């Protein structure tokens, strides 16, 4: 037997027991004639003691142990003189009588501790060492618990877990496909699924009724903190349901997961269901962070018009937010905010502010353009109190300006400590537009994916005004993050063909790409719908992480590389020849 106990297990009640432990040397300290070693495994850390007086040879051996050596020790559990309250095993130590070095270790390139000295790149290269760190390991444990809870919940609701293939054809979710050449079919390629969307719909045609899968999805797109080229979805689909059935089922699941995994009670009140247009108007975002207010107030009527401040004169949109208690902001702080909104990522032209003084008077950066009455009106409209700071942005493109104001709202929320990671605010955003116009492609694109059904009442608009059609689609949003989304699907081949037409597919191309689905719909497809949750995002929210990377065992870096495996990489000419592939030299 390698061990009788783990390194996280022994307590005061075990004092006097003979035990055998195995693990890694986290750290060792020599103090006078005593050597102390922290022995670590997945379960915790236990202190080992070697005494020069009682066993000089063993103590000399212990003094030679390096960090991350793998050892096995036999000894007696002893009550510690100086207890360590920070760790669960802190009341005891092991007086070692025998030791075997199971494996030596090179000096690790960074310290294997929660506050490590290793930078991101180094830790990614040696991810197997990084994973030994307690905080990183805890994220994987959380992920595991999350998956188990998902399976338990969905199983209790009659969902079947069904795997779908990874080597398939294109599934349009709005990103580029990763493609895989087929040796047996030279010149032809598989595409990796951007999601199992079409397959889960076929499972509904197949009568599976309720499906789920913890599925890998692959999207070749530019990476950000919350994106990876491959990521995991909790993918679900249900038959004979309306939007209401789906929202109720998955709201219940969200509450269950919060309770079981995060030990957080979301209460009994149903989530708000906010139409997309309203979310954009009130928060400038389709994923509003509802942990705090600071809603947008439209100010065109108050501040727009002629003869006033030049910039506002013919702005199509003027909107403001009221930052409570920020009237004391200094010139420098206000300049910082202006620089923030003018930064290339946000791209606004400027920022106007108005302070409400303690006596209720208003002092604004554009005072001279407005009468005191107008400033008074502004204060009322914003519902601003003495001590508040009103921040105003304007622009010719209302949607764009709202998005910029949204960034400012989030920034102010952050500065005011209103985006508390231990508080959660969830809602559904519903009634998304069906299509969005692409300047680049000169055509309408599906906002969700092309299998999304329009709201039944909007179907006639497909012929007259497709751009205004709303979709039977929904997103679940938590703390300003889209954690899941889905839709009721089209289950009628004729309507599906019509949508493809609006999206600019010729009948031939639609048939070529999605013929299999349209044909399946001809054999009695049930009404169906579903959604997919982003597993990585959920787990990182639960863990309070900034990036999804930290809850993925082996993540990729910002350029989509696995620096540990050094992938992607070149392949042998022989392999390319078999695939009939010529690689062209890279041109700038
Ligand atoms: N396949 C969709 C997505 O990946 C989710 C869904 O509609 O169920 O976003």
């Amino acid at each position: 037997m390698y061990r009788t106990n783990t390194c996280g297990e022994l307590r005061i009640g075990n004092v006097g027991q003979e035990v055998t432990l195995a693990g890694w040397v986290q750290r060792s300290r020599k103090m006078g004639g005593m050597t102390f070693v922290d022995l670590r495994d997945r379960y915790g850390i236990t202190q080992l003691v070697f005494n020069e007086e009682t066993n000089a040879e063993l103590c000399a051996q212990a003094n030679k142990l390096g960090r991350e050596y793998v050892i096995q020790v036999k000894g007696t559990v002893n009550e510690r003189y100086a207890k360590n309250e920070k760790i669960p095993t802190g009341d005891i130590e092991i007086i070692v009588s025998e030791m075997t070095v199971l494996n030596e270790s090179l000096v690790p390139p960074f310290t294997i501790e929660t506050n490590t000295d290793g930078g991101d790149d180094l830790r990614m290269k040696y991810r197997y060492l990084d994973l030994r760190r307690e905080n990183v390991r805890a994220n994987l444990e959380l992920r595991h618990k999350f998956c188990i809870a998902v399976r338990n919940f969905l199983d209790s609701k009659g969902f079947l877990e069904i795997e779908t293939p990874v080597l398939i054809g294109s599934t349009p979710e709005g990103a580029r496909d990763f493609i895989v050449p087929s040796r047996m079919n030279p010149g032809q390629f598989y595409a990796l699924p951007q999601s199992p969307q079409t397959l889960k719909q076929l499972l509904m045609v197949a009568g599976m009724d309720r499906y789920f899968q913890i599925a890998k999805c692959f999207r070749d797109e530019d990476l950000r903190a919350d994106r990876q080229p491959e990521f995991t979805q909790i993918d679900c689909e249900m038959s004979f349901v309306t939007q209401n059935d789906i929202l109720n089922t998955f709201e219940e699941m969200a509450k269950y997961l919060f309770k079981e995994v995060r030990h957080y009670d979301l209460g009994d009140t149903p989530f708000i269901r906010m139409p997309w247009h309203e979310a954009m108007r009130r928060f400038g975002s389709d994923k509003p962070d509802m942990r705090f207010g600071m809603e947008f107030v439209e100010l065109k009527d108050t501040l727009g018009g002629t003869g006033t401040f030049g910039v506002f004169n013919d702005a199509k949109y003027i909107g403001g937010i009221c930052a409570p208690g920020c009237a004391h902001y200094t010139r420098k702080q206000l300049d910082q905010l202006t620089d923030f909104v003018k930064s290339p990522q946000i791209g606004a032209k400027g920022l106007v502010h108005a302070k409400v003084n303690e006596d209720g008077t208003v002092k604004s950066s554009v005072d001279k353009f407005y009468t005191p009455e107008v400033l008074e009106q502004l204060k009322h409209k914003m519902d601003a109190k003495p001590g508040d700071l009103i921040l105003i942005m304007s622009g010719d493109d209302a949607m764009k300006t709202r998005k910029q104001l949204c960034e400012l709202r989030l920034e102010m929320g952050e500065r005011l400590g209103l985006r508390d990671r231990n508080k959660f605010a969830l809602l559904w955003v519903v009634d998304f537009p069906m299509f969005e116009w692409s300047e680049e492609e000169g055509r309408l694109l599906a906002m969700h994916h092309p299998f999304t059904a329009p709201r039944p009442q909007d179907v006639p608009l497909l012929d007259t005004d497709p751009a205004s059609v709303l979709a039977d689609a929904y997103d679940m949003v938590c703390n300003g993050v889209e954690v899941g989304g889905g839709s009721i699907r089209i289950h009628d081949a004729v309507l599906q063909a019509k949508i493809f037409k609006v999206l600019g597919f010729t009948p031939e191309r639609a048939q070529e790409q999605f013929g299999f689905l349209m044909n399946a719909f001809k054999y009695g497809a049930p009404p169906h719908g579903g959604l997919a949750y982003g597993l990585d995002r959920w787990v990182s929210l639960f863990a309070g992480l900034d990036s999804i990377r930290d809850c993925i065992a082996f993540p990729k870096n910002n350029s989509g590389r696995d620096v540990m495996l050094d992938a992607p990489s070149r392949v042998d000419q022989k392999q390319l020849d078999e695939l009939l592939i010529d690689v062209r030299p890279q041109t700038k």
Side-chain angles (χ1 to χ4, degrees), residues 79-370:
E79 179 169 0
R80 255 163 95 159
Y81 174 69
K83 304 212 167 36
N84 179 353
E85 279 165 18
K86 292 204 193 101
I87 55 172
T89 60
D91 287 347
I92 58 101
E93 62 194 2
I94 311 294
I95 310 286
V96 179
S97 52
E98 280 173 41
M99 176 172 82
T100 314
V101 174
L102 299 173
N103 213 341
E104 296 183 352
S105 169
L106 294 176
V107 175
F110 49 87
T111 52
I112 314 281
E113 291 182 20
T114 298
N115 290 320
T116 176
D117 57 358
D120 280 354
D121 289 347
L122 198 62
R123 288 190 293 107
M124 291 273 251
K125 179 154 187 220
Y126 296 93
R127 182 66 169 169
Y128 46 89
L129 296 181
D130 198 28
L131 290 175
R132 287 186 192 165
R133 293 165 59 223
E134 189 190 341
N135 52 331
V136 187
R137 191 193 66 228
N139 294 338
L140 295 191
E141 282 171 0
L142 180 74
R143 190 182 176 108
H144 161 78
K145 289 209 181 88
F146 191 90
C147 291
I148 297 288
V150 164
R151 290 197 160 99
N152 287 343
F153 178 86
L154 291 173
D155 178 54
S156 79
K157 298 283 175 198
F159 283 78
L160 292 185
E161 183 168 7
I162 303 173
E163 283 176 79
T164 53
V166 165
L167 294 176
I168 61 171
S170 185
T171 43
E173 295 280 1
R176 253 180 233 110
D177 287 324
F178 279 103
I179 55 174
V180 180
S182 164
R183 183 187 53 82
M184 286 191 286
N185 305 274
Q188 295 186 358
F189 296 81
Y190 300 101
L192 303 182
Q194 291 186 32
S195 83
Q197 184 60 39
T198 47
L199 293 156
K200 68 174 171 178
Q201 292 192 243
L202 292 173
L203 287 171
M204 294 302 106
V205 180
M208 290 302 130
D209 200 59
R210 289 177 167 210
Y211 141 96
F212 87 98
Q213 178 180 197
I214 298 186
K216 269 291 169 69
C217 303
F218 306 86
R219 297 183 190 176
D220 186 0
E221 54 192 345
D222 295 335
L223 303 180
R224 292 200 300 253
D226 58 350
R227 293 234 178 110
Q228 283 273 298
E230 54 177 308
F231 60 96
T232 311
Q233 279 188 348
I234 304 164
D235 193 42
C236 308
E237 198 75 3
M238 305 166 85
S239 291
F240 304 112
V241 284
T242 61
Q243 178 181 122
N244 203 32
D245 299 314
I246 296 183
L247 300 198
N248 288 341
T249 304
F250 290 100
E251 192 166 316
E252 191 184 335
M253 174 157 128
K255 289 182 174 174
Y256 174 85
L257 293 172
F258 264 95
K259 204 174 217 149
E260 288 295 308
V261 187
R262 186 59 178 66
H263 311 298
Y264 188 94
D265 190 359
L266 288 174
D268 297 328
T269 19
F271 295 177
I272 293 169
R273 298 181 183 180
M274 190 185 291
W276 182 87
H277 279 289
E278 185 184 328
M280 295 309 292
R281 185 168 43 76
R282 290 173 56 193
F283 300 99
S285 167
D286 56 3
K287 37 181 186 294
D289 186 340
M290 304 287 284
R291 280 173 296 182
F292 64 105
M294 258 192 255
E295 281 190 33
F296 295 5
V297 178
E298 309 227 344
L299 297 169
K300 197 162 147 54
D301 290 350
T302 317
L303 302 178
T306 48
T308 54
F309 174 44
V311 177
F312 287 170
N313 275 354
D314 19 56
K316 294 244 166 48
Y317 175 84
I318 307 173
I321 55 170
C322 179
C326 291
H328 65 272
Y329 266 38
T330 58
R331 174 84 268 153
K332 195 166 160 216
Q333 282 173 304
L334 290 165
D335 286 348
Q336 271 175 0
L337 285 182
T338 307
D339 290 346
F340 171 78
V341 299
K342 281 173 147 180
S343 66
Q345 302 96 291
I346 300 180
K349 293 227 172 64
L351 180 64
V352 165
H353 72 264
K355 291 175 172 183
V356 185
N357 299 319
E358 285 310 322
D359 63 2
T361 54
V362 181
K363 174 104 192 73
S364 166
S365 54
V366 291
D367 271 359
K368 56 175 184 241
F369 302 103
Y370 295 102

Side-chain angles (χ1 to χ4, degrees), residues 417-428:
L418 300 171
R419 304 183 75 195
D420 180 353
R421 284 180 183 196
N422 292 310
K423 198 172 143 192
F424 297 95
L426 285 95
L427 79 153
W428 291 104

